[in-house]
Each structure stands twice: as C-alpha cells, then as structure tokens.
Amino acid sequence: MLVHYPDIKPYARHRVMVDAPHELYVEECGNPDGLPVLVVHGGPGVTGVAKNRTLFDPDKYRIILFDQRGCGRSTPYAELEGNTTQALIEDMEAIRCFFAIERWVVCGGAWGATLALLYAQKFTSRVMALLLRGVFLCRRRDIAWLYQEGGASRIFPDYWEDYLQPLSASQQQNCVQSYHQLMNSENDLVRMSAAKSWALWLARCATLRPSLKVVEQYVEPHRAMALALIQTHYFLNNGFLADNEIIEAAKKLHGVPGIIIHGRYDMVSPLESAVELHRAWPESQLNIIRDAGHAGGEASIIDAMIRASRDLSQRFLDEEDY
C-alpha cells in the first residue's frame, strides 16, 4: 500500500487579491518546472491540508494549493460577503492567470471535487485532467442526506441526537436554516456551541472507523466557527447552484479525462453520487475503495490517490503544452 511522499514545505507563498475584500493565500511546492496541479480543498469553510502536498511526487509535479475565500490564511477570515460558488470558480481561474499556466491538472476532494467539476465545465480548455475524491454533487438531496433526518441520521442515530441538541423541535424541521440562524446569533456562546455541534457531526460521519484525530481537528474552536458559518451559508443557498447542475452539464467534460476515487462506505457523500457522475462522464475512471469512508486521510484513499497522481504524471509528463 502506497503512503504519502515525504513532507515538503512550499518554495513560494503568494497573496492573490481577488474581489474586495478577499485576498487568497496561495502556495507552490515541488518542482517549479513540473506538471502543474491545482489542489482544491474540501469544505466549504475548512482550509488546505498540508498533507495534500504529499499526494504528488514533488520531483514531477508543481503543486499549487490555496485557501478558499474566508478560509485558513485567506483574508478576511470567515467572511461571507462575495463568498459564492461562482466566485470560488473565478478565483481558481485567477490563480491560473496569476501563474500564467496554460493547462493544469485539477484535484479536489468532497466540496473540492464540486468546485473542480464546475471549474472544468466552465474552463474546459484549461484542464488536462481531473482527479476527484469523495464526489459531492451539492444537490438538495445530497445536502438533506447529511443534514436532515432520514439519511446519515439513520446510520448514526446516537451522533444525530448530539447534532440536534442545539435545536428546538420546530427548528429541527429545517436543520440547515436553523443552524444558519444560530451561527448568526449575537450571542458568542450560542454561536460557538452550534459550531461545535455542526463540526462534530461532520467529523463523526467522515471516517469509516472512529477517528479522535479527525474529531479534534474539526471541533477546534477557530476552525469549527468558520466551518459552520460558511457551510450553512452555502447549503442554505443550495451551494448557489441549480439542482443537479453538475450532472446535467456533464457533457461539457467531453474530452477531459478523469479519475474518481470514492469510498464504498462514504456516509458524507454516498457512493451513488460517484456512480451517477461516472455514467454521465464516459472519459472518467471510477475506483471504488472497498474499505474506506469519506475522509482523505484514510489509508486506502491515500493509496488510491497516490496511484492516480502517479498514473497522471506518467500520462502527461511528456507533453509540452503546460
């Protein structure tokens, strides 16, 4: 089983100004002359993970990571003004233009896969290939599966009770809307309690086997606040997308090769999503990981991602048009 490449540090860090007031943190790792890959983190509302640098051979790849609007080291932190899916897609293109890269590989997991797909559908000529993990299509039913009773709640009923704890009976009729209201409360304690409950539920659903490390990362107060605030902002607005937009526009991916990696026991974004995408996108290859859930840090997911990144480098490294 393959494991991460050795840890590396960025050889360059940048601040890229986009629409005011947003300024993006962007970093470059690996080989400056290598195959360019943009790594799009999950969320919305989390940050780029340092371990994402080590999914790619640093001798062969120019690895570009960034923090999305309101996330991580991008500023202002947890800012919702001008924070929409369409803006994030334009930010990805702004980063490409900043580096004057003609074409690149785009890699994304979960919400990062959502953005990668939407970017490729809009800027098809700029995408050499897609590498996707834990595909999240951001349809109303996908949001409801995770955040409304009747989906993941039936798999984790004990965890679901904790998720519902901040909500009254009437508020439970629309959990996303109710959490959004709590996250915009003027009471700091109300906001923090809601943020931790929201983040804890997501962390508990993310891995096949319980992971205290993942839980601790998600419920860290600073991270949990941005995660819950930005996610409820997006999901209350159905990701700022038409329902089933990605599948209905899948024909725009014609000519773009892709590798989809999805855990069979993904409880955040069920395997059904990846299967539907694969059927609608003939150029894609679907790898179902039999002993994994949703999280990118699970051993079998790491193995599959590194194999895929290796395969893509072998396929494209001889090309001279990037």
Side-chain angles (χ1 to χ4, degrees), residues 161-168 171 179 182 190 193-194 197-198:
E161 288 183 5
D162 294 335
Y163 169 76
L164 293 180
Q165 195 278 328
L167 308 180
S168 67
Q171 288 176 318
Y179 262 101
L182 294 177
V190 168
S193 176
S197 293
W198 180 276

Side-chain angles (χ1 to χ4, degrees), residues 189-211:
L189 293 178
V190 168
R191 290 201 306 273
M192 182 50 65
S193 176
K196 286 188 174 181
S197 293
W198 180 276
L200 179 61
W201 165 247
L202 182 59
R204 284 171 161 177
C205 293
T207 55
L208 178 60
R209 297 176 179 83
S211 172

Side-chain angles (χ1 to χ4, degrees), residues 143-160:
I143 297 169
W145 162 270
L146 188 57
Y147 293 116
Q148 198 61 44
E149 188 170 7
S153 66
R154 300 180 66 182
I155 311 300
F156 303 113
D158 48 343
Y159 297 157
W160 184 252

